[in-house]
Structures are given as structure tokens and as C-alpha cells.
Amino acid sequence: MKLSKLLLMAFSVSLFVSCSSDDDNDQIEYKNGFLILNEGSAGQGSVSFSSNDFNVFEKDAYTAANGSDLLGKYAQNIFFDGDRAYIIAGGSNVINVVNKYTFKLIAKIDTGLANPRYGVVKDGKAYVTNANTYFSASNPNGNTDDYVAVINLATNTYESKINLNATANRLVEKNGKLYITEPYNSDKLLVVNIATKALEAPVAIGSSADGIEENNGTLYILRGPYEDRSEIVKVKLADNSISRITFPESLDGAAFLDVYENKIYYTVGNSVYSIATTATEASTTAIVTPSLGYLYGFAVNNNRIYLADSGDFKADSKAYIYSLTGSLQKELTVGVGPNGFYFND
Amino acid sequence: MLVVNYKTTARAVEWEGKQQDASQETCLCNKYRALGKKSVEIMTLRIRFAFLLVMLCQLISAQSDSIKLKEVVVSDANLKKYSNSQSVLKLNDSIINKNEALLTDLLNFNSTIYFKEYGRGMLSTVSFRGTTSSQTAVIWNGININSQMNGSTDFNTISGSDYNSISVKAGGGSVIYGSGAIGGTVHLNNDLAFYNRFENNLKLDYGSFNTIGINYKTNISNEKWSAQIGFSKNSSTNDYKYLDRYTWRGEQRWNQNGQYDIITMSANAGYKIDSKNTLKLYSQFSNTDRNTSLVVETETKSKYVNGFNRSLLEYDGDFGKFKTNFKTAYIFENYQYFPDNSSNIYTYGKTESLITKVDLGYTLFKSTQINGILDYNRTKGYGSSFGDHVREISSAGILVKQDFSEAWKNELGVRKEFTDNYKSPVLFSLGSSYQFSKLYNLKLNVSRNFRIPTYNDLYWEEGGNPDLKPESSYQAEIGNVFTFKNISLTQTFYYIKIKDLLQWVPGKNGIWSPTNKDNVNSYGAETLLSWKKQFGKNNLSANASYAYTASKDEATKKQLFFVPYNKVTASVAYSRNRISAYYQFLYNGFVYTRADNNPDEIINDYNISNVGIDYDFKFLDSFKLGFQVLNIFNKNYESLEDRPMPGRNFNMYLTLKF
């Protein structure tokens, strides 16, 4: 071994080729547009950018800015703080911190994370849900070991964690509290007090709750239980009181929700519906039902509906941008497994 | 959280699957479960064998003709007998010893098969003639040993030195070898010899990245008995540096969590009861304890442990015109996947198969032989992800071999399987070989072959689809064999039409599920060249192969991903007296990594070269000390995206025969 190492060194020295980096001089500024997060599959996750007028498009902004650096597997979520974007790669236990306009890598947060999912920012700290281990016969604790990682954004380091004794996925922050849903093994809305880092009394909302949005002091939560009626559960933050809009059977399996300008937009299958935030009944008239494989990402913003097709995870897939009335404005070829839209204004 | 397969939450589970996924070609997001536990139900095994012995005794006592003894009894008689119309590349001891221990290296440098390795020593799957990893069958002494769980074989769990010879047969072979023999078959054979000898072979390897190999084999035989006992252990810390790759912090990147340790033990025995009746018992145990190399440094370190235990009892009766061969085998395979090395949490899968096969041969005329084959296969599979299922498959087949003359040989086979699990096509094979002259031999073969759905495909929770059809293929090939003095050139053109390819796709509610989706047309050409020459004390030999493969999705006309258009291998060996030296070369053309043939998403072509030299000190029967330089030109290459392979590295070996 010694000998071989010596020889290796000798050869290496004689043939040393220095690492070259691709300096991109005509760097695009990723402003006035939106990001599409592509989960990736066999390869790494990626982020696509399109300007709002669709004139500027970059399919893989991270690689364009950072060369051979690997973003990580299963890109899950992006959250922002100031001019920084934080890209969570769940399969690689890492959060890539980039400048949101240049996508140049600033740092990587790579400790204290175990299958990180979604993040929010409050007062210079990020709160990131971690799925941790998964339940199995040999791992009975899999459904109680999820936690929120607290990350100091000044130093980009993991600081502490808040154990949840439950499962956790999507979250929102309001008034110093984290509200957390999880669609597979939870029927509660978890409430975490950031100041005390303690769990408060959870709210019983029902199973399969996933999409969660806060608007004017109310949480809007979409649940689409298997073989049961879908619901929008409204939680009034002042007193945690709840009211429900139960969907008719024809809308079983509701998937995504977004609240935009006093309207709730939700999806069932590939169809998009909307109702007023004050409505008490669901709409069964679709705004648009695009023909796509499987709806994997959804957002409503800037007077547009954004839809992502999962594709087959073996090739680049597509994102579709519609007007609020359902006319197609743009079809974009993005990366593998697009799962979310984020807005860079 | 529950192991689910919905939407984004599913990713962790898919990741587990992908990490180990044998066949990305079919995007088995939930797949690849290897094998592994050491304990087998030895009791049941014993009972089965006892029962068999009783049966055999009855068979034996009923016979009385006489026939001449052969010196070597091949373990898979049909491989020789029914492959006149196809090309078979046989790799013997001396070639096996010149390659790194694991089968991936041996076949990568010496055959037209394309390999996809998840890093050095990690999961390694093949594409043969443009087919998927579960469309190449691995045959151990005549028995198909592809995993019942994922349908394929991991070539980095097999050590070449455990066998006397390894043959690569290109083209369809389902009539004889069953599921998966579409692209071709790889045969691992232990041939038993019946003459007086007591031989020991020991090979010790020590190389870069603490790669240690211990391979020992002993042969003890006389005219009645033959025994072969083998042991191999190959391990490595496998912590090689990635050439020219650095982390964002500027640190040198290296292969983390790539340790492997593979142990295999084999014991084979043959007994000639009398001139007509022979009994053979083959058994093998193996355990692979392997971590999974990280793509990104921050990933959770996982590992999987897999293993198998197989036993095969075989009876040969040779009564002149009438020959019988009776086989019964027990095969156990299992895996345990640990998503996190540091904890004891794992998922697992196991299968146990009992295979019995009766092959009755009859010589109708001098020129015509008929074999009737019946077999029965019962597999019980259970695991954390696919419940507990039993599947029974029976089949009946007939093989006919007719030699019109010494020059013109024909073969025909038909086989049909019977099972409740799926609809099985009628398989056939039809071949002809005509030796026009000493110089030129023409071979023709057409066949229909298939690959049955695996346990994962049928029963995976959630997503398994019990209503799958087998993948099936029609295949035609023309082979031209030119032999001129010391040169042999084989050129084969083939066309394969594959139907109902099994693909895992995201379905309703985002649950991934397999369906019979695509049709593939694969065509190409293979060229094998070998040359040998002796000048006085100097021996020179050269071998080369070239494969051109176009494997296109019928609907999209795109090349299948991870199928290179071009692959070249070459080797030159020279020996004189006690010294021998050799050079190996491999060129793999680029491959697409995406189904849409996105030109930005490819793995670049690469060529690598190895050199080796050894000297025989002749202390014992043979005492060779050798030194190898692998990837001598220090090429920076990947076999799979973001999984760099090692640069220049070294190996030393000692081969003893006594």
C-alpha cells in the first residue's frame, strides 16, 4: 500500500491536471420571474428560471452558476430570506444557500438535517421540518421522531431542534408560531411556539391534511383522504376554532391548495377549481383541466396558475402557465420531476 | 412516517429503491432488493435431499446398460449441445486470473456486455444486446439464478474464481434457461473431473484502497469421486479519490461509504456410481456486506447486506440411446437494506425456490437426438415490502438436435410454461449451423424468449401490479465464423423485437406502479476476434470484441438510456518461459441517461487500459507473483452519473498451485 501510494503520488504529480472552473461571464440575473424546482430522480435536483415575460429562461440555474457542484438528491422546497434562496435537497440532507438573483452558492447547511422537507424563516432563523426515519416493523419510532431544525441564517449553521413526537411535513409561520401538517400519519395540525420552542395544543383537523396557507388570520388547509370526502379546513388563528368546507364525492382526492387574492384555488386530479375565501361550498366547475401525466406542483400568483407535470422521472418534464380564467400562456420544458413554483420578484 | 409512495413524501422510499435499483432502464423506482442472510432452513433441505436419494436409488437400480467414461463431466450439458447456432464465448481460468476478482471486471474487459456500476464494487448491472438488466440471465450450473425479487443479477457480488469457466452466450435462450434469457446468458460452471488428482489453487491479491482478495480452490478426485471445495473473500475499504473533484469548501472529494466485503464458499462433489450413473451435488453460500457509496457527502450512509445459498443435486444416467438428467435445486436469496448504517433499522426480502427438472434424452437415429424437459418451480417470497406470496411455475419443453452431416447441424426447441401468475407465451428456438469449409461457418438462429414479472413487480406494497404480462421477444441472428490458421473471427448480426417492457411509472395518486408499457427494437452487430501464435518459446495471443448496439423505443425512436452504441474490448498477452505480460483495453461509447435522449444528459465515453505482468518462480507446481496497474492512463471516468470511478490504481497478486 505504501509503495502503491508513493507511485500513485509520483504519477499524480507528473500528470497533475488542475481543476478548471467554468466562469460564466454573461450571467443571467434571475429577477422578475419565477423558479421551478425540479426534484430530480436518478440524477440531482435542479432549479429552472423563467422571467415573467418568458423571454429569459434557464433550465438549470444552479449548474449554470455553480458548475459541477451537486445540488443534491430530491430537491423538495425553496424558501427565501432577503436576497438569499435556500434550496432543500431532502435525499442529501442538505440546504444549498444561494443568492437568489445570481444563484451563486454561498454556503451549504449540512448538519442537523435528516430528510429535510419544508422551511420557513422568522427573525434570522430558519425552521425546517425533518421527516427523519420512516416507520417500519424494525423501526417503531419512525412516526414520532420528526423534528424542526432551527438554523441560524447569519452563520448558516444548525443550532438546535424541536422534537415533535409526531410526523411533520409542510409548515407556515404566523405570529411566532409554526403550524405544521403531515398527510400520511397525522390527523392533527401541530402548533409550535418559536419563542419557547415548545409544542402547543394541536388542532384536530383530520387525516391527509397537506396544503396549508395563511391569509388574514386564517389557515386554509386542504385534506384529501383516501376514499373519503375532501375538505378545506379553516382554522381561525385567534382561537384555533375550525370550520370546514366538505367537498362532494366527485372531488375526492383533492391535492393542492393556494390562496390568492381572496380566492382559494385547489386541484383534484388535473383540474383546477377556485372559490372565494368566504365561500361555504366547493366549486365543481373546473377552471382548467390540462392534459398532463400527473400534477406534481401547483401555485397561483401574478394573475396566473402554474402547473407542473411530474413526467415519468426519466426525462425532462413540463410546466404550464395559465391565466386565472384558464387560457394557456406558456408551456416550459423544465427538469425532471418539477414539484413546485417560487417567485423571484 | 409510514413508508409511502405518494407524491413527494415518497421520495425517501424511492430513494432507497433507486439507490439499489438494478435497472434504471425500467425505472424500477421501488426496486432492487438484494439478498443475504446466512441462516437457511437446512432442515427442510436435508429432508428434500433424503427423499431425492431414495428416488434416485430406485432409478439407478432400474438401469443396466454400459457406456464409456468421460474424464470431465460438464455441469450444463445443454450449453454445449444446443448452442451450435449461436455464439458462445468461454473464459477459462487463465483469463479469469488476469482480471480483478469480481465478475464485472472480467466480463467488462472480455465481452461485449455493457456494465453500469454504481461506483467501484457497488451494484453492477448489465445491458446485453441493448436489453435491460433483467433481460440477461445468469445460469449457475444450468440453473437460472437471477433474483426472484428484482429479476436481475448484481455482477459485483460474484467472484469469477469460484468457477472453472464462465461462458457468455449471446442471444435468446429462454427455451432452455427460462426467464430473462433475452439479450443473452452468462454461465457460471463448475465442471467436475474424474481422474486421480489432488490440486490446490490459492490466489492472494492486495491492491489500492485496501483491496484484499483471498481465493482458494481445491480439487480432489479419482475415477469414481470428484470433489471441489472453494473459498473466496474479496474486500476493500474502497476509499478512492475522485480525480479533479472538490467540494464547495475546496476539499478533495473521495468515495465515501464504499466499503464492501464478499465471501463465497462452494462445495461440489460428483460420484460415479457405475459407468452409467453419476450423482453430482453443487452447493454454494455467499454473503455480500456492502455499504452504498455516496453521491453527495451529506447523504445518509446506508448499506445493504445480501446473500444466497444454493444447492443443486443432479443425477445423470447414460444408457446408450437413452439418457436422463434429473436436477433438483434449492435456492435461497435475501437482502437487508439499512437506510442508516448507524442504526439497526432495516427492510428485508427473502425468497426460497425449489426447482426440479427432468431431462430425458433419446437418440432417435444416429443423427437425431431428442430431449424432453419437464420442470417445476416453486418460489416462496416474503419481505417487508411485498408480503408473503408463493408462486408455482411448471413447464414442458422439447429439444431436437439433428445433424444432417458433420457440416450441417440443426436444433429446435419449444417450451411452454404453466402458471396462474401470468399468461405465458410459447417459447421456441430454431437454429442451424452450416460449415461451408474449414474457413467459414454460417449460423442462423431465431427464437422467442421472455422475462417474467418479479416479486417486486407483482407484489410491491404499494404499487405492485398482479396483472402483468411477461416481457416477450422475438429474435433473429446470423453468425459468420471465419477460422484461418490461428485467427478466429466471429461476426453476428441480430435483431430483437421486445414487447411489453415492464416499466415503473407514477400512476394515480402518485403511486409508482409497473405496467407493460414500451416496445423496443434492438439491432446490432458483434464482432469477436481471437488470435494465437507461438514463435519458439514466445507465446502471443490477442482478443478483441466490438459491439454496435442500436436499441430503440418503438414509439419514440429514441435510443434506450444506458445502452451505448459502441463498445470495444481488446487484450494482448505475451508469455515466454516463466514470465507473462498482458495489456487490456476497454472503450465504452457515450450513453444517454434520459429517455428523451437529451444530448446534455449523457455519460461521456471513456477508454481505460490495464497492464499486468507476472513471473512464475516455480517453487511448487506454480508460484506466480504478479503486478497490475489498472486504469494506467489515469482516466477520469464515470460509469453512472455523478459516480466517479478510480484513477490509476495498483494490484499485486500471488498465485500458487500445489
Side-chain angles (χ1 to χ4, degrees):
Chain A
M1 194 61 215
K2 284 275 160 57
L3 177 70
S4 67
K5 268 190 174 160
L6 264 173
L7 280 169
L8 183 65
M9 277 171 66
F11 277 119
S12 309
V13 169
S14 64
L15 290 169
F16 189 75
V17 183
S18 75
C19 158
S20 70
S21 67
D22 303 76
D23 277 324
D24 205 347
N25 290 325
D26 39 297
Q27 170 77 53
I28 304 171
E29 203 184 28
Y30 300 113
K31 244 182 181 163
N32 301 320
F34 57 96
L35 306 170
I36 303 109
L37 184 62
N38 306 300
E39 195 167 285
S41 185
Q44 305 284 299
S46 64
V47 185
S48 305
F49 171 86
S50 170
S51 60
N52 289 328
D53 59 9
F54 309 119
N55 287 330
V56 182
F57 181 76
E58 170 59 55
K59 204 183 84 179
D60 189 349
Y62 188 85
T63 303
N66 302 301
S68 61
D69 189 73
L70 302 175
L71 178 94
K73 284 211 150 196
Y74 305 135
Q76 184 63 43
N77 178 230
I78 302 178
F79 59 91
F80 299 94
D81 185 38
D83 60 1
R84 289 181 176 190
Y86 300 82
I87 309 159
I88 300 178
S92 298
N93 303 319
V94 68
I95 301 174
N96 301 284
V97 185
V98 300
N99 180 301
K100 80 177 192 182
Y101 301 119
T102 65
F103 260 75
K104 287 274 185 212
L105 183 69
I106 295 163
K108 288 189 187 232
I109 300 158
D110 57 7
T111 56
L113 302 171
N115 205 348
R117 304 290 301 172
Y118 293 86
V120 292
V121 173
K122 170 75 173 169
D123 298 335
K125 287 189 180 164
Y127 298 87
V128 177
T129 52
N130 284 259
N132 209 349
T133 67
Y134 290 85
F135 177 85
S136 69
S138 63
N139 184 30
N141 297 326
N143 284 336
T144 51
D145 64 0
D146 294 17
Y147 64 92
V148 171
V150 183
I151 293 155
N152 184 333
L153 296 183
T155 56
N156 290 316
T157 49
Y158 164 82
E159 213 172 62
S160 61
K161 70 165 152 177
I162 305 167
N163 289 316
L164 299 173
N165 196 33
T167 51
N169 195 45
R170 291 185 195 263
L171 79 170
V172 296
E173 183 278 327
K174 191 68 188 173
N175 302 330
K177 288 182 184 174
L178 303 174
Y179 296 90
I180 305 171
T181 58
E182 194 283 313
Y184 302 111
N185 297 286
S186 172
D187 55 6
K188 295 184 179 70
L189 173 71
L190 302 180
V191 185
V192 175
N193 186 319
I194 288 176
T196 61
K197 289 189 180 173
L199 280 163
E200 295 190 349
V203 184
I205 49 172
S207 64
S208 305
D210 193 20
I212 176 168
E213 284 274 314
E214 188 276 333
N215 190 40
N216 283 331
T218 301
L219 290 175
Y220 296 84
I221 299 164
L222 184 68
R223 47 184 294 260
Y226 180 64
E227 288 182 343
D228 199 357
R229 302 303 80 77
S230 304
E231 277 184 345
I232 289 172
V233 183
K234 299 183 194 176
V235 181
K236 206 173 251 173
L237 292 179
D239 56 2
N240 283 0
S241 64
I242 63 175
S243 59
R244 297 167 190 270
I245 302 170
T246 303
F247 290 10
E249 193 173 348
S250 60
L251 298 183
D252 277 5
F256 293 98
L257 159 140
D258 204 351
V259 179
Y260 176 69
E261 296 197 332
N262 297 318
K263 276 191 170 170
I264 307 168
Y265 292 82
Y266 55 91
T267 71
V268 179
N270 292 338
S271 298
V272 182
Y273 305 85
S274 84
I275 51 172
T277 48
T278 52
T280 52
E281 260 182 51
S283 160
T284 54
T285 312
I287 299 170
V288 61
T289 306
S291 145
L292 40 80
Y294 175 65
L295 184 61
Y296 208 52
F298 173 73
V300 182
N301 203 349
N302 297 330
N303 291 314
R304 284 169 172 168
I305 298 168
Y306 299 81
L307 300 168
D309 185 344
S310 72
D312 58 3
F313 294 92
K314 287 184 287 185
D316 287 341
S317 191
K318 296 206 159 147
Y320 300 88
I321 292 93
Y322 285 86
S323 73
L324 290 182
T325 52
S327 61
L328 181 66
Q329 297 186 338
K330 189 72 184 175
E331 178 183 320
L332 295 168
T333 298
V334 296
V336 172
N339 64 9
F341 297 91
Y342 303 89
F343 300 91
N344 247 11
D345 296 321
Chain B
M1 284 188 238
L2 184 71
V3 172
V4 280
N5 232 345
Y6 293 64
K7 290 196 301 199
T8 49
T9 313
R11 306 314 297 182
V13 181
E14 281 162 27
W15 181 72
E16 169 196 338
K18 284 241 174 64
Q19 183 72 14
Q20 307 171 56
D21 184 353
S23 31
Q24 261 182 333
E25 301 93 330
T26 43
C27 193
L28 316 176
C29 55
N30 308 329
K31 294 201 26 185
Y32 194 74
R33 317 283 137 179
L35 2 161
K37 226 184 193 173
K38 290 159 201 168
S39 61
V40 195
E41 288 162 28
I42 289 162
M43 271 318 287
T44 27
L45 202 61
R46 278 189 188 141
I47 291 163
R48 280 170 192 151
F49 278 118
F51 168 71
L52 274 166
L53 281 169
V54 172
M55 277 187 51
L56 286 169
C57 291
Q58 288 171 344
L59 265 174
I60 292 157
S61 59
Q63 318 299 343
S64 61
D65 266 336
S66 107
I67 192 172
K68 274 196 173 171
L69 292 179
K70 277 183 206 161
E71 216 176 38
V72 176
V73 178
V74 294
S75 59
D76 180 5
N78 285 335
L79 174 60
K80 204 170 151 55
K81 205 164 154 188
Y82 288 100
S83 59
N84 283 324
S85 65
Q86 286 171 298
S87 112
V88 179
L89 174 72
K90 187 171 175 179
L91 306 171
N92 56 23
D93 273 17
S94 67
I95 299 174
I96 294 172
N97 279 332
K98 280 179 187 136
N99 287 272
E100 284 189 84
L102 303 178
L103 214 52
T104 300
D105 268 283
L106 174 71
L107 298 180
N108 206 359
F109 278 95
N110 295 287
S111 79
T112 55
I113 303 176
Y114 165 71
F115 280 85
K116 198 169 79 177
E117 266 184 293
Y118 287 62
R120 176 183 182 262
M122 300 289 106
L123 172 64
S124 167
T125 60
V126 296
S127 171
F128 200 168
R129 288 192 167 176
T131 63
T132 68
S133 63
S134 40
Q135 293 172 346
T136 295
V138 177
I139 311 298
W140 172 70
N141 294 314
I143 297 279
N144 188 324
I145 53 163
N146 274 18
S147 166
Q148 296 286 334
M149 290 182 268
N150 62 45
S152 59
T153 290
D154 179 350
F155 286 79
N156 271 340
T157 61
I158 299 172
S159 158
S161 64
D162 292 328
Y163 309 94
N164 300 104
S165 72
I166 291 165
S167 295
V168 177
K169 179 172 171 238
S174 284
V175 167
I176 299 178
Y177 298 109
S179 175
I182 294 178
T185 44
V186 173
H187 301 261
L188 314 174
N189 289 330
N190 294 102
D191 300 330
L192 294 164
F194 289 89
Y195 58 93
N196 281 319
R197 65 168 173 173
F198 175 56
E199 286 171 11
N200 292 284
N201 292 278
L202 177 66
K203 184 170 188 249
L204 300 170
D205 285 271
Y206 184 74
S208 304
F209 332 122
N210 296 310
T211 304
I212 297 167
I214 303 167
N215 295 277
Y216 171 74
K217 196 155 52 191
T218 180
N219 289 294
I220 310 160
S221 61
N222 59 27
E223 276 160 15
K224 247 183 145 43
W225 281 96
S226 179
Q228 200 178 76
I229 295 165
F231 170 83
S232 71
K233 178 175 161 54
N234 293 286
S235 65
S236 175
T237 54
N238 210 14
D239 49 354
Y240 57 91
K241 282 179 181 162
Y242 294 163
L243 296 173
D244 298 332
R245 289 179 203 231
Y246 302 87
T247 68
W248 70 284
R249 292 187 171 97
E251 301 146 346
Q252 169 71 52
R253 295 192 62 210
W254 53 280
N255 190 45
Q256 296 193 31
N257 204 46
Q259 298 92 323
Y260 65 82
D261 188 2
I262 300 152
I263 296 174
T264 305
M265 285 185 278
S266 327
N268 309 310
Y271 175 59
K272 278 192 181 292
I273 299 161
D274 55 33
S275 58
K276 302 183 196 82
N277 303 291
T278 310
L279 265 184
K280 289 174 282 179
L281 174 66
Y282 303 90
S283 62
Q284 199 172 38
F285 155 83
S286 173
N287 187 67
T288 299
D289 193 339
R290 194 163 42 165
N291 290 357
T292 51
S293 151
L294 303 182
V295 172
V296 175
E297 284 77 0
T298 49
E299 284 168 6
T300 308
K301 290 178 176 167
S302 62
K303 75 166 179 178
Y304 59 90
V305 180
N306 62 75
F308 61 77
N309 204 319
R310 359 181 136 113
S311 299
L312 165 64
L313 183 68
E314 191 175 358
Y315 161 78
D316 264 320
D318 189 337
F319 314 102
K321 283 189 161 183
F322 179 65
K323 291 183 173 66
T324 86
N325 175 280
F326 183 78
K327 279 181 175 151
T328 187
Y330 172 80
I331 297 177
F332 173 82
E333 60 166 282
N334 79 345
Y335 79 86
Q336 277 176 296
Y337 173 70
F338 296 80
D340 183 350
N341 275 355
S342 60
S343 88
N344 225 1
I345 299 164
Y346 63 87
T347 54
Y348 73 95
K350 301 178 191 190
T351 63
E352 295 173 73
S353 302
L354 176 71
I355 300 159
T356 52
K357 207 181 224 178
V358 184
D359 182 337
L360 302 172
Y362 189 73
T363 307
L364 213 54
F365 313 106
K366 217 172 174 190
S367 63
T368 311
Q369 290 176 44
I370 296 184
N371 285 66
I373 301 170
L374 288 172
D375 72 40
Y376 168 76
N377 189 329
R378 183 180 193 274
T379 303
K380 179 179 160 60
Y382 45 105
S384 46
S385 303
F386 50 78
D388 189 342
H389 299 274
V390 171
R391 108 165 149 188
E392 291 178 288
I393 302 168
S394 309
S395 85
I398 193 155
L399 302 173
V400 182
K401 179 178 157 76
Q402 188 179 39
D403 299 348
F404 276 110
S405 63
E406 190 54 39
W408 189 18
K409 295 175 178 174
N410 295 295
E411 49 205 37
L412 163 73
V414 183
R415 180 167 176 238
K416 167 87 176 144
E417 278 195 351
F418 308 96
T419 177
D420 296 338
N421 287 70
Y422 49 82
K423 272 195 179 157
S424 184
V426 175
L427 308 170
F428 69 84
S429 170
L430 184 63
S432 186
S433 164
Y434 191 79
Q435 185 85 43
F436 282 89
S437 67
K438 261 190 171 175
L439 194 70
Y440 176 56
N441 181 188
L442 174 68
K443 295 178 174 189
L444 296 169
N445 184 278
V446 288
S447 61
R448 184 164 196 209
N449 308 287
F450 76 152
R451 195 274 276 196
I452 63 174
T454 63
Y455 265 72
N456 288 358
D457 295 329
L458 295 167
Y459 307 121
W460 192 260
E461 291 164 4
E462 301 168 75
N465 178 358
D467 301 318
L468 294 169
K469 286 180 280 191
E471 298 171 342
S472 64
S473 78
Y474 286 101
Q475 175 161 173
E477 66 178 75
I478 300 175
N480 300 292
V481 184
F482 302 91
T483 317
F484 180 69
K485 285 183 179 170
N486 307 315
I487 300 174
S488 152
L489 173 73
T490 306
Q491 199 159 34
T492 311
F493 301 94
Y494 63 86
Y495 183 84
I496 312 175
K497 203 170 174 60
I498 305 170
K499 230 174 72 177
D500 299 322
L501 211 61
L502 286 170
Q503 304 259 40
W504 281 72
V505 290
K508 264 197 168 172
N509 301 324
I511 298 170
W512 288 64
S513 192
T515 58
N516 290 103
K517 201 164 165 267
D518 298 340
N519 299 334
V520 170
N521 294 323
S522 180
Y523 57 92
E526 292 160 341
T527 307
L528 304 174
L529 181 69
S530 78
W531 174 75
K532 232 179 220 171
K533 182 99 187 165
Q534 196 169 357
F535 309 92
K537 285 179 176 175
N538 305 293
N539 293 295
L540 256 174
S541 69
N543 291 289
S545 77
Y546 168 64
Y548 173 81
T549 313
S551 187
K552 311 271 186 189
D553 185 293
E554 202 174 78
T556 64
K557 310 285 180 226
K558 303 281 188 192
Q559 175 88 346
L560 289 202
F561 53 9
F562 294 106
V563 175
Y565 285 107
N566 299 292
K567 183 188 169 182
V568 178
T569 69
S571 64
V572 185
Y574 168 78
S575 67
R576 184 192 166 94
N577 297 333
R578 295 174 169 197
I579 203 157
S580 74
Y582 49 91
Y583 169 78
Q584 290 179 319
F585 172 84
L586 165 67
Y587 170 81
N588 247 322
F590 83 91
V591 292
Y592 293 112
T593 62
R594 299 275 183 85
D596 59 357
N597 288 187
N598 183 338
D600 299 333
E601 303 288 346
I602 61 166
I603 291 166
N604 287 320
D605 61 320
Y606 56 86
N607 64 74
I608 30 180
S609 299
N610 301 333
V611 294
I613 186 161
D614 59 43
Y615 184 81
D616 193 342
F617 290 92
K618 301 251 178 191
F619 290 152
L620 304 158
D621 291 347
S622 168
F623 188 106
K624 277 186 188 168
L625 181 66
F627 186 73
Q628 289 170 309
V629 186
L630 307 167
N631 189 6
I632 188 166
F633 300 116
N634 206 31
K635 290 280 164 76
N636 183 353
Y637 72 104
E638 288 177 348
S639 163
L640 256 179
E641 57 209 314
D642 305 323
R643 293 187 177 275
M645 296 294 279
R648 182 181 302 108
N649 63 97
F650 306 92
N651 185 43
M652 261 162 47
Y653 61 89
L654 195 60
T655 311
L656 284 80
K657 282 188 186 166
F658 53 98

